[in-house]
Amino acid sequence: MSSLGDKTAQHISALLDEYGIKHGPVVDSTRSLYEKKLKEAMAKEKKFQPSSDKTYYREEENVTYVYTTPVRNEGSSDRTTYMRPRPEWSEREYDHKTSYSRPNYGGWETVDEPQMYDSPSTYRSSYLQSTPLRGGQDAPKAEKSSRLVPLWVQLVVFLVLAVFLYFVFSNMETNEFLKEIGPQ
Amino acid sequence: MSSTSQKHKEFVAEPMGEKAVNALAGIGEVLGKRLEDKGFDKAYVVLGQFLVLKKDEELFRDWLKDTCGANIKQQGDCYGCLREWCDAFL
């Protein structure tokens, strides 16, 4: 745009209307103010264009999130992925914005950073940091086996633990043990 | 605004006449000097600007900030003062 200072007052007025800027008469004392406003409006307009790329980026983020690993990736692309119908119960846990720190299934996915879901860059960095179970980088179709390794391993570990505890408990039912805890 | 200053009350109580620009609420010595240097040496000249900006709050605030560097509070005080004066006398 050529310099606003060269334009006539009427032209400035027309431009202000174009940008939807409320204004009064363009006189000497108001001219510089309106020129400044027009400059800001023009700069803002230019800024809008690159943001369309951002939406594309978000979609991409969305795709990568689908088959994601348990770690804490829900951070970044929270919104759209929450709406996805996930059959995995553990996955749904992560989908919760607030309570995703809860699931301690196998003990690996200790979700630590609640405020990660801000920018995709933070997501990336944390994703790289998360060592266990990076399963996710393939095709976005993984709705069923998005978890892959984790889930059944978790169940196995759980079962083993349960059996172990049962044995311990059953072994505890002896006189010796009762004597120990008796006189308290 | 929950409460108005003494300066505000005094200003809106009567026609401004030839009052100096310092008499406006929110405009102290420093800002007053800056306004005078720009040619706004009387309160009524600032009033003129206020009216030319169609008594619009945002425009007036922006203008005041650009002209004399008033902060948010000062802008608000001055705007409120002029608006109330206009309601009473214009």
Side-chain angles (χ1 to χ4, degrees):
Chain A
M1 271 282 185
S2 56
S3 73
L4 292 170
D6 292 340
K7 303 204 189 305
T8 62
Q10 222 165 1
H11 198 161
I12 300 274
S13 188
L15 281 170
L16 286 165
D17 288 335
E18 221 177 271
Y19 284 97
I21 300 172
K22 191 175 161 194
H23 65 96
V26 182
V27 293
D28 289 344
S29 60
T30 58
R31 189 170 176 122
S32 58
L33 176 71
Y34 293 140
E35 282 180 12
K36 193 184 108 187
K37 281 195 170 281
L38 278 173
K39 277 196 194 119
E40 282 171 14
M42 288 179 194
K44 210 172 169 185
E45 204 180 43
K46 276 188 192 162
K47 217 171 146 190
F48 275 142
Q49 285 158 12
S51 72
S52 57
D53 294 344
K54 246 194 228 170
T55 55
Y56 175 72
Y57 183 57
R58 277 208 203 109
E59 279 178 0
E60 205 176 8
E61 196 67 277
N62 195 9
V63 167
T64 55
Y65 175 70
V66 169
Y67 46 83
T68 189
T69 67
V71 214
R72 62 127 239 48
N73 32 38
E74 46 287 8
S76 53
S77 52
D78 34 11
R79 296 179 291 277
T80 52
T81 53
Y82 291 160
M83 295 194 252
R84 286 187 175 226
R86 295 224 159 260
E88 309 276 351
W89 53 274
S90 53
E91 185 95 277
R92 216 177 301 129
E93 289 288 343
Y94 288 112
D95 277 346
H96 282 288
K97 288 174 235 178
T98 55
S99 62
Y100 69 88
S101 57
R102 254 191 338 177
N104 282 335
Y105 313 114
W108 329 295
E109 41 260 348
T110 51
V111 192
D112 30 12
E113 295 118 321
Q115 60 225 35
M116 279 297 226
Y117 40 75
D118 241 357
S119 58
S121 60
T122 55
Y123 162 70
R124 284 269 169 88
S125 61
S126 62
Y127 182 79
L128 286 169
Q129 283 169 11
S130 63
T131 44
L133 340 137
R134 305 253 298 258
Q137 282 196 344
D138 7 53
K141 51 137 175 121
E143 282 206 339
K144 286 181 188 174
S145 61
S146 60
R147 284 335 187 112
L148 286 176
V149 175
L151 183 58
W152 64 268
V153 173
Q154 290 174 22
L155 287 174
V156 163
V157 167
F158 175 71
L159 281 171
V160 164
L161 197 64
V163 166
F164 173 70
L165 283 174
Y166 174 74
F167 272 127
V168 167
F169 183 69
S170 62
N171 281 338
M172 286 201 314
E173 289 180 8
T174 60
N175 283 340
E176 288 175 351
F177 183 77
L178 284 173
K179 272 184 196 166
E180 274 180 34
I181 61 168
Q184 270 188 356
Chain B
M1 211 139 129
S2 51
S3 65
T4 51
S5 64
Q6 187 60 30
K7 219 171 161 188
H8 174 106
K9 288 182 185 138
E10 282 175 5
F11 191 85
V12 301
E14 56 182 4
M16 62 176 81
E18 298 290 321
K19 280 185 186 167
V21 73
N22 289 0
L24 284 162
I27 307 295
E29 256 190 61
V30 175
L31 296 184
K33 180 79 175 54
R34 289 181 192 163
L35 282 169
E36 282 171 18
D37 290 344
K38 294 262 175 86
F40 296 87
D41 53 349
K42 293 280 184 191
Y44 65 73
V45 187
V46 178
L47 171 71
Q49 183 68 9
F50 178 68
L51 297 173
V52 154
L53 292 170
K54 296 180 132 179
K55 301 194 249 175
D56 180 73
E57 178 165 8
E58 197 190 319
L59 287 174
F60 183 71
R61 275 176 178 267
D62 285 348
W63 172 81
L64 200 61
K65 188 175 84 169
D66 288 347
T67 309
C68 63
N71 64 29
I72 305 279
K73 185 179 185 311
Q74 290 161 334
Q75 295 164 21
D77 289 346
C78 190
Y79 168 76
C81 176
L82 282 171
R83 196 194 57 206
E84 220 175 289
W85 188 92
C86 286
D87 289 345
F89 298 102
L90 200 57

